[in-house]
Amino acid sequence: MATEILSEARSLRKIAIVDSHTAGEPTRCVCSGADELGKGTLAERMERLRRDHDDLRRAILCEPRGSDVLVGAWILAPDTPECAAAVIFFNNAGYLGMCGHGTIGMAVTLAHLGRIGPGAHAIQTPVGLVKVKLDGANTVTVENVPAYRSKKAVTVDVPGYGIVTGDVAWGGNWFFLVESDQRLELANVDHLTDFTWAIRGQLEASGVTGAQGAEIDHIELFGAPRDPANHSRNFVLCPGKAYDRSPCGTGTSAKLACLIADGKLAPGQAWRQEGILDTVFEGRVRIDDGKVIPSITGSAYITAEATLLFDPADPFRQGIGT
């Protein structure tokens, strides 16, 4: 009997993870199992994960091992020598080009694992190289990919809610940013989720997209901050219908691009973005050859080191979800 139990234990697949949260939003860094994705460029490995091993995305993030709010960051060897690491971001609904809070969480995780030290490092993402600057154990500044506003003052008639006007902007993901008088409070999350989900559906129904027909899969509401030390407060709905607990790094980047386009923010000027949990990201931009390069500063904390176990006899070993 003991031999049989030992044999079964050895058949369990294992994947090492480190969990963290950035301003309240969790990141699950995947630290092993990259052999499944084979060799090649980051784009090739991401496509291999999407095409051949999407069950791993679901198994790592979704129930019963995870939850809808988790964002995954699969840490890989870079295919370009100037980078400290490469990463594929994913969530309960699919794959993300970039993730601001996830990059902050990944940088703190890499430091926790002894793979990087204080100072500046380059990280390879599916949408391009980003830079991270590690200040101490928990604080990170991410210099993101160029951000820009694609369309200004787009109006859609949202069933049940009426006319909604917003800007379409890129901050590493596509956003529809709406100035709103909605109550941006944790107690109002159910209503905010319904409202923003309806906006997303109407954008799709109306054919409103990002560049080259890209789906707008993030909706950002913003309004007056609770703390007068901050400039704005936001609520961001992510692609899988989970709301961002943090002020959203790519969403803040998109917001900064809109502010620059409207002449409401100067290069180098700080913008303090408050999230639904009252946590804050501080953003700045620099202009490089006419491009808006946003930087986001936030803090992350390690919450767990663990080994995920995949029992071939477990009917839910591949996760519950889509």
Side-chain angles (χ1 to χ4, degrees):
M1 176 65 74
T3 302
E4 292 176 3
I5 293 174
L6 181 60
S7 176
E8 289 180 6
R10 285 176 176 169
S11 73
L12 295 179
R13 179 177 181 174
K14 300 179 179 182
I15 292 182
I17 60 163
V18 175
D19 285 352
S20 65
H21 80 84
T22 305
E25 178 77 353
T27 304
R28 172 161 289 175
C29 284
V30 181
C31 304
S32 66
D35 54 305
E36 291 281 352
L37 308 184
K39 305 294 184 181
T41 66
L42 180 61
E44 289 169 340
R45 287 176 286 172
M46 182 173 177
E47 179 55 30
R48 199 171 291 127
L49 176 59
R50 187 200 309 267
R51 184 189 65 228
D52 301 333
H53 302 290
D54 193 58
D55 57 311
L56 282 176
R57 172 193 61 82
R58 186 174 61 248
I60 289 166
L61 285 193
C62 297
E63 296 179 27
R65 294 180 189 85
S67 72
D68 285 349
V69 68
L70 271 174
V71 172
W74 202 317
I75 301 174
L76 303 169
D79 58 60
T80 180
E82 68 267 35
C83 291
V87 62
I88 298 173
F89 292 112
F90 51 99
N91 68 1
N92 63 328
Y95 298 84
L96 303 168
M98 173 56 186
C99 181
H101 95 269
T103 304
I104 293 170
M106 176 190 177
V108 168
T109 295
L110 289 171
H112 173 75
L113 296 171
R115 298 188 189 181
I116 64 171
H121 307 274
I123 303 293
Q124 186 181 14
T125 80
V127 295
L129 299 187
V130 302
K131 296 177 182 177
V132 298
K133 183 173 181 291
L134 183 66
D135 295 319
N138 304 105
T139 302
V140 176
T141 297
V142 177
E143 185 173 88
N144 199 359
V145 295
Y148 65 96
R149 181 169 65 192
S150 173
K151 299 170 185 174
K152 178 179 172 61
V154 176
T155 296
V156 289
D157 190 353
V158 181
Y161 297 97
I163 299 297
V164 174
T165 300
D167 290 355
V168 177
W170 168 261
N173 296 297
W174 281 107
F175 286 81
F176 190 67
L177 299 100
V178 179
E179 186 169 9
S180 175
D181 59 3
Q182 299 282 338
R183 189 164 55 93
L184 305 181
E185 302 291 345
L186 198 58
N188 199 33
V189 156
D190 289 346
H191 170 73
L192 295 172
T193 298
D194 291 343
F195 178 44
T196 48
W197 191 251
I199 292 174
R200 179 180 170 182
Q202 190 56 36
L203 290 172
E204 183 176 1
S206 302
V208 179
T209 68
Q212 299 177 329
E215 181 182 10
I216 301 170
D217 56 7
H218 290 71
I219 309 299
E220 180 172 0
L221 307 179
F222 61 92
R226 172 180 288 177
D227 184 340
N230 302 324
H231 297 90
S232 178
R233 185 177 180 88
N234 71 8
F235 172 87
V236 175
L237 190 72
C238 300
K241 207 177 180 181
Y243 68 91
D244 199 326
R245 274 68 174 166
S246 82
C248 189
T250 55
T252 300
S253 297
K255 175 67 176 175
L256 293 173
C258 293
L259 291 167
I260 287 287
D262 288 334
K264 295 180 178 179
L265 186 72
Q269 182 181 354
W271 177 270
R272 290 178 57 82
Q273 182 62 62
E274 190 178 275
I276 196 73
L277 299 184
D278 300 328
T279 52
V280 175
F281 284 163
E282 185 166 287
R284 287 180 171 81
V285 303
R286 65 180 179 88
I287 307 299
D288 183 3
D289 195 23
K291 296 179 180 179
V292 176
I293 312 296
S295 293
I296 306 297
T297 301
S299 296
Y301 298 87
I302 302 298
T303 57
E305 291 179 322
T307 301
L308 302 182
L309 303 178
F310 299 82
D311 187 334
D314 179 1
F316 296 118
R317 66 186 178 279
Q318 294 183 336
I320 302 169
T322 59

